[in-house]
Amino acid sequence: MRTKRYRHIEEGSGYDLSISDLMAALCCIFVLVTISIIVSLTEKTQLADKKNRLADEYIASLMEKNRLADKYIVSLTEKNQLADKYRELQHDLFLDLTEEMEAYLKKWGATIDPDTLTIRFSSNDGFAPRSAELKPGYKKVLQEFFPKLIKILEQDKYKNEIEEIRIEGFTAPDSGDPYGEGSEHDYVAGVWLSQQRTQNVLLYCLENTEYSQETDPKRREAEKDWIRKHIVSNGYSLSKPIGTDGKLLDGDGEIDKAATRRVEFRIKTNSDKIVQQFQKINGN
């Protein structure tokens, strides 16, 4: 009887050990499943965080692009406003010059270029060949022309926008020039001749025309001082020849010598200030 009981206990003990092993295995499986779930959740969380971070970066990138786009639009608007102001100034000045001088242009043998604000006179009507001395008829033209020009330029809407009143002289090639033959000698002689002509025109305008309408001595002197600071003369010799179509030659072509020999009054506005403002806008 003892032996059977002992065996029964041994058999019972063996049965208990099998259940323990099974429970241990189940615990291991549960732990592994739990770890797998945790790892999976962690990866999903990290992936979600990464997606959120990328989304935030994308949104930030879009906001920066929008900011740059807004800045560009503002910059473009400011540039357009400056350009419009410059074009409006040029246009208004051309209209005023034309209105003031239209009845005289044909009489003077002059034209006004709307793009460059250049009043062009033929040197053939103003000077004898190879001479820098003003003809009497040209002196009368300047006596009529110069006061009208100053009357317009000294208006409040233009006065602070004028950079220079340029008197520019040009000559045409002349193989019979007494200073020598060939384009090089023509150019050297033309520099002297064109410069002398423009200087004589400048001095005649300042000393022999009634360009100032001021009666008050102080204002009259202030007006003269403003003109002296803004008027210049330059001789360009053979530069900027005019073609047979009446336009400046850009490259090769036939030169109209009569039209090329000329003196011009060119009104230069403060376009450099516009360029500086453009650069300032770009810098911002």
Side-chain angles (χ1 to χ4, degrees):
M1 293 297 291
R2 287 183 182 176
T3 303
K4 288 182 180 179
R5 188 177 180 182
Y6 177 75
R7 286 179 179 173
H8 175 73
I9 293 172
E10 284 183 344
E11 289 175 1
S13 298
Y15 177 78
D16 290 340
L17 287 174
S18 297
I19 294 297
S20 299
D21 292 341
L22 180 59
M23 293 301 294
L26 289 173
C27 287
C28 289
I29 291 171
F30 177 77
V31 170
L32 290 174
V33 170
T34 303
I35 292 173
S36 177
I37 292 172
I38 293 173
V39 169
S40 177
L41 290 174
T42 301
E43 289 177 351
K44 288 182 179 179
T45 302
Q46 290 175 345
L47 181 60
D49 290 341
K50 183 178 180 180
K51 288 181 178 179
N52 290 334
R53 186 177 72 255
L54 291 174
D56 291 340
E57 291 176 355
Y58 177 71
I59 293 171
S61 175
L62 284 180
M63 293 178 65
E64 177 65 15
K65 287 180 179 179
N66 289 336
R67 187 184 68 80
L68 292 175
D70 290 341
K71 182 179 178 181
Y72 173 77
I73 292 172
V74 171
S75 172
L76 188 61
T77 301
E78 292 177 352
K79 286 182 179 180
N80 288 336
Q81 290 174 345
L82 290 172
D84 289 342
K85 178 183 177 182
Y86 174 72
R87 285 192 294 267
E88 183 179 353
L89 173 68
Q90 295 277 110
H91 179 68
D92 289 349
L93 186 49
F94 170 73
L95 291 180
D96 284 350
L97 288 170
T98 302
E99 182 179 355
E100 181 71 23
M101 302 179 185
E102 187 174 15
Y104 299 87
L105 291 176
K106 187 175 181 180
K107 173 187 173 182
W108 295 339
T111 58
I112 303 177
D113 188 325
D115 296 323
T116 61
L117 297 179
T118 296
I119 301 99
R120 183 173 296 155
F121 295 88
S122 170
S123 291
N124 283 349
D125 298 329
F127 304 90
R130 306 186 189 94
S131 171
E133 184 178 351
L134 280 70
K135 289 182 178 180
Y138 192 35
K139 291 179 180 179
K140 291 181 180 179
V141 168
L142 292 176
Q143 287 173 1
E144 293 177 338
F145 162 75
F146 195 66
K148 293 181 182 299
L149 177 66
I150 299 304
K151 175 184 175 182
I152 295 171
L153 299 185
E154 285 218 319
Q155 294 180 33
D156 291 340
K157 59 180 177 179
Y158 297 131
K159 191 170 184 178
N160 293 329
E161 303 296 336
I162 302 301
E163 182 178 340
E164 285 181 343
I165 307 167
R166 289 187 175 183
I167 304 175
E168 301 178 340
F170 304 88
T171 59
D174 184 0
S175 58
D177 195 293
Y179 297 96
E181 295 183 356
S183 60
E184 183 176 349
H185 293 89
D186 285 346
Y187 184 85
V188 174
V191 169
W192 178 88
L193 181 59
S194 59
Q195 186 64 50
Q196 284 296 112
R197 284 176 172 176
T198 57
Q199 286 180 356
N200 288 344
V201 170
L202 184 152
L203 291 175
Y204 187 84
C205 288
L206 294 181
E207 296 176 0
N208 297 280
T209 66
E210 295 295 331
Y211 63 85
S212 177
Q213 304 300 316
E214 289 290 347
T215 56
D216 181 80
K218 290 185 178 180
R219 291 183 178 179
R220 186 180 181 88
E221 186 57 33
E223 183 180 51
K224 288 185 176 181
D225 185 58
W226 181 85
I227 294 172
R228 286 192 291 264
K229 288 179 179 178
H230 289 81
I231 194 166
V232 296
S233 65
N234 293 299
Y236 292 95
S237 188
L238 306 179
S239 302
K240 301 180 181 179
I242 293 179
T244 53
D245 60 354
K247 299 179 181 179
L248 290 176
L249 277 181
D250 185 12
D252 296 330
E254 186 178 350
I255 297 176
D256 183 337
K257 291 185 178 181
T260 297
R261 297 186 186 98
R262 68 196 189 277
V263 172
E264 300 177 348
F265 283 75
R266 180 186 170 199
I267 313 307
K268 186 179 180 184
T269 57
N270 288 325
S271 57
D272 289 344
K273 289 184 178 180
I274 300 295
V275 174
Q276 290 173 1
Q277 287 175 294
F278 277 2
Q279 293 173 341
K280 184 178 180 180
I281 292 172
N282 289 334
N284 292 336

